[in-house]
């Protein structure tokens, strides 16, 4: 089985085969999650500015909560259950939009 190329930086040679270093693969995947998370945070910044302009305390509070959830993703989203990169790639936070194929 050929490992997923999305995680090629996690490949290592053992004997005559290529294996996946799951520790490195998890770092790679979390970096992808951070890219999407950062884009969502930027969108929320715009919404927050609009809520300030509208002087909407309810909207501001909702946005503050959502932004905190997004900020916490790297610390709270568990990638440890994946035993290979196929399972790892399937793990994606519900708080983020679906991703394009990387």
């Amino acid at each position: 089985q050929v490992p997923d190329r999305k995680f090629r930086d996690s490949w290592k040679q053992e004997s005559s085969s290529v294996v996946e270093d799951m520790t490195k693969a998890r770092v790679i995947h979390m970096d992808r999650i951070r890219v999407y998370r950062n884009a969502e945070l930027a969108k929320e910044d715009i919404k927050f500015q609009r809520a300030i302009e509208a002087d909407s305390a309810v909207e501001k509070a909702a946005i503050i909560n959502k932004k905190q959830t997004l900020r916490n993703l790297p610390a709270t989203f568990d990638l440890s259950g994946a035993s290979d990169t196929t399972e790892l790639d399937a793990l994606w936070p519900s708080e983020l939009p679906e991703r394009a194929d990387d």
Side-chain angles (χ1 to χ4, degrees):
Q1 174 187 354
V2 176
D4 189 339
R5 292 192 53 80
K6 293 176 192 174
F7 297 98
R8 66 182 161 271
D9 289 338
S10 71
W11 296 351
K12 62 183 178 182
Q13 186 76 33
E14 281 188 8
S15 296
S16 61
S17 62
V18 174
V19 296
E20 301 162 332
D21 180 335
M22 286 304 293
T23 300
K24 286 184 182 179
R26 285 183 183 93
V27 169
I28 291 166
H29 195 53
M30 188 55 73
D31 287 345
R32 282 194 197 111
I33 289 171
R34 283 186 178 98
V35 167
Y36 279 81
R37 186 259 337 242
N38 291 345
E40 289 303 301
L41 282 169
K43 290 177 189 175
E44 292 302 313
D45 286 342
I46 294 168
K47 291 178 185 176
F48 191 74
Q49 289 299 319
R50 290 183 181 144
I52 290 172
E53 291 170 1
D55 196 26
S56 174
V58 172
E59 286 182 47
K60 287 190 281 187
I63 294 165
I64 288 168
N65 287 336
K66 183 170 182 183
K67 287 178 70 171
Q68 190 58 54
T69 299
L70 291 169
R71 282 189 204 100
N72 291 343
L73 274 178
T76 60
F77 192 68
D78 185 16
L79 298 175
S80 65
S83 61
D84 60 31
T85 54
T86 301
E87 290 178 9
L88 182 63
D89 193 41
L91 295 175
W92 194 253
S94 60
E95 297 86 356
L96 296 178
E98 290 298 315
R99 60 205 151 128
D101 284 334
D102 302 312

